[in-house]
Amino acid sequence: MMDASSAAALAARNAYGRLLAYLAVRTRDVSAAEDALGDAFLQALTTWPNRGVPTNPEAWLLVIARRRLIDGARRTQTQAKALKLLDLDGFESASTAELMTFPDERLKLLFVCAHPAIDAKLHTPLMLQTILGLNAAQIGSAFLVPPTTMGQRLVRVKAKIRDAGIPFELPSGVKLAERSHAVLQAIYAAYNADWTAANGSDCKQLGLSQEAMWLAELCAQLMPDEPEAYGLLALIRYCESRRSARKTPEGRYVPLLEQDTTLWSRKLISEAELALKQAASYQCLGGFQLEAAIQSIHAQRLHTGHVDWKQLSQLYAGLIQIAPTVGAHVGYVAVIAHTQSAAKALVQLNSIQDKGLQTYQPYWAVKADLLKQVGEIEKAKQAYSQAIGLSEDPAVRAFLSEKSLELVNQR
């Protein structure tokens, strides 16, 4: 038999988001639902060791959390007013048997987290806390924000959700498409946050990459008619398949084109291909699908031993048409350097108009390499300096520093 603490940990990992979503949708108060669920887990840790783990831990936790919410409502207001305010009619009389098969409301909670009334910078942190149960310290570390500050921001945004009466429901029509994109973007931001954490520590310790992939899988499951959900899932799987090859055992950074393909995960690449194929079956192209297709071209090096730069060029051109982000533009420039010349790539790079360029590390890294290739050594050194200053990962900084030092011998 599983011990009480292990059973509680498993229930938290597998059902926290589902339990919280069910409670939050019915109370329209995320903070109150979190508090009630937290009390339920605490009671589980004190009760289960003596009475044994219940047959259905999730239903047990939900019954206790529901009881806490109803008791809290009665303490603060009259019962009738409280039940009406918190939308607990029917919820109070629901039987344990009914709660054992409670519906999955996580998609509604994801859409609440990505509501346009909420600061876009908080979409991802809010999802990480409400759906995955990460605490403010973990989230703050991932986004380079002090835990106290992150905690305060999350408390305020939850109060806003409650006080503004933001509906816990799925939007329709154009709003559904807009919010779907916001949800997927937030999940991708969570995955990108995995690359580095505070003080350059590896975010893998926080498990953000795995959590982001789990959220992407959840979206594909809950939004089966959204091709971009499958596109995002494919993109994350492709990127994650190369994790073991990104650094040497000594911790040295290894660029994509120099990675040992035998270290790539064939299983994740295969799963990514399936997700991309599913997305393509809808015949409705989107940015995440194109980004996944770009990663698919790189993944083919595992079998062919080379990169199809012509196909990459076509895919990047399409991506810029659909999603003209600074990342897409810089990626296209890198491809031009391979398909045409460093000089032409440099002209293309200098033509990019984007306010975020000055603080976008890949821009300076690509620019430094191109300037080096065309013999602009002093300018290349300055660009390397900018790229190094913007790099949060010590391994990347060391790699770029070595490249910069190589310029001394080219004077």
Side-chain angles (χ1 to χ4, degrees):
M1 290 182 63
M2 184 179 298
D3 65 81
S5 59
S6 297
L10 182 63
R13 178 66 184 86
N14 293 337
Y16 179 86
R18 188 169 171 234
L19 288 165
L20 181 64
Y22 180 81
L23 295 167
V25 166
R26 278 147 187 80
T27 62
R28 300 197 296 274
D29 189 333
V30 177
S31 293
E34 285 178 328
D35 291 343
L37 191 54
D39 287 345
F41 274 106
L42 183 60
Q43 185 167 333
L45 291 174
T46 57
T47 303
W48 292 359
N50 298 321
R51 300 182 182 179
V53 178
T55 303
N56 190 324
E58 294 178 19
W60 188 95
L61 290 164
L62 188 56
V63 169
I64 299 301
R66 178 192 64 163
R67 192 175 299 156
R68 293 287 184 274
L69 284 167
I70 294 172
D71 289 345
R74 285 171 175 161
R75 284 195 301 270
T76 55
Q77 304 180 57
T78 63
Q79 180 181 1
K81 186 177 181 181
L83 294 180
K84 182 178 181 180
L85 175 65
L86 297 177
D87 196 22
L88 291 174
D89 292 314
F91 182 51
E92 181 185 29
S93 60
S95 67
T96 301
E98 290 174 316
L99 292 176
M100 289 179 71
T101 55
F102 64 97
D104 192 337
E105 308 278 22
R106 284 174 294 183
L107 188 58
K108 289 181 181 179
L109 188 51
L110 282 170
F111 273 88
V112 168
C113 292
H115 194 279
I118 297 172
D119 185 347
K121 293 179 181 178
L122 290 175
H123 288 173
T124 300
L126 194 56
M127 288 182 193
L128 293 174
Q129 187 169 77
T130 59
I131 302 296
L132 299 177
L134 298 185
N135 59 45
Q138 292 172 306
I139 300 170
S141 176
F143 291 91
L144 306 179
V145 175
T148 302
T149 302
M150 179 58 73
Q152 291 171 344
R153 290 175 182 174
L154 291 171
V155 167
R156 285 196 296 268
V157 77
K158 290 171 196 171
K160 182 175 184 177
I161 291 171
R162 180 195 62 220
D163 298 339
I166 292 177
F168 284 72
E169 60 187 22
L170 299 180
S172 59
V174 176
K175 290 183 179 180
L176 176 63
E178 292 175 348
R179 296 265 291 282
S180 295
H181 183 67
V183 168
L184 298 178
Q185 285 286 359
I187 294 172
Y188 190 43
Y191 183 77
N192 283 335
D194 172 72
W195 294 94
T196 53
N199 301 318
S201 61
D202 192 341
C203 247
K204 189 177 181 181
Q205 296 174 357
L206 305 181
L208 282 188
S209 63
Q210 293 300 314
E211 303 294 12
M213 186 156 62
W214 188 87
L215 280 174
E217 290 171 352
L218 176 65
C219 281
Q221 171 191 334
L222 298 179
M223 295 189 286
D225 297 324
E226 175 52 68
E228 279 290 81
Y230 289 101
L232 174 62
L233 179 56
L235 173 59
I236 291 178
R237 283 174 172 172
Y238 279 126
C239 293
E240 193 63 14
S241 72
R242 300 193 293 265
R243 177 174 290 277
S244 297
R246 290 177 186 148
K247 293 180 181 178
T248 67
E250 297 75 31
R252 291 173 60 85
Y253 170 73
V254 183
L256 173 58
L257 297 179
E258 298 176 20
Q259 288 178 10
D260 180 355
T261 59
T262 64
L263 297 177
W264 292 354
S265 169
R266 290 175 178 266
K267 178 177 181 293
L268 278 175
I269 290 174
S270 177
E271 291 175 349
E273 294 288 350
L274 288 174
L276 185 56
K277 183 177 180 180
Q278 179 67 28
S281 69
Y282 292 91
Q283 297 185 336
C284 183
L285 197 58
F288 283 125
Q289 294 170 67
L290 279 169
E291 288 195 60
I294 287 169
Q295 297 306 320
S296 177
I297 297 298
H298 284 293
Q300 289 173 20
R301 185 161 68 87
L302 176 63
H303 307 289
T304 65
H306 68 271
V307 176
D308 190 330
W309 293 103
K310 183 178 180 180
Q311 273 196 303
L312 272 184
S313 179
Q314 293 171 343
L315 288 170
Y316 268 112
L319 180 60
I320 288 174
Q321 290 296 316
I322 293 178
T325 63
V326 62
H329 281 291
V330 173
Y332 188 35
V333 166
V335 173
I336 291 175
H338 285 274
T339 57
Q340 299 181 45
S341 68
K344 290 184 178 180
L346 194 56
V347 170
Q348 183 70 23
L349 187 70
N350 291 332
S351 70
I352 299 175
Q353 300 294 322
D354 193 293
K355 294 180 180 178
L357 278 180
Q358 297 304 310
T359 57
Y360 188 60
Q361 190 270 355
Y363 166 80
W364 291 104
V366 169
K367 186 169 188 174
D369 183 62
L370 294 176
L371 287 167
K372 175 183 176 182
Q373 290 185 54
V374 299
E376 296 281 354
I377 305 303
E378 289 304 317
K379 290 182 179 179
K381 289 170 63 177
Q382 293 173 10
Y384 271 124
S385 179
Q386 288 285 98
I388 292 167
L390 292 169
S391 299
E392 296 170 354
D393 188 334
V396 174
R397 285 201 298 270
F399 172 81
L400 293 172
S401 294
E402 290 178 5
K403 293 293 182 182
S404 182
L405 287 174
E406 291 174 2
L407 297 175
V408 176
N409 299 322
Q410 294 186 230
R411 291 178 59 88

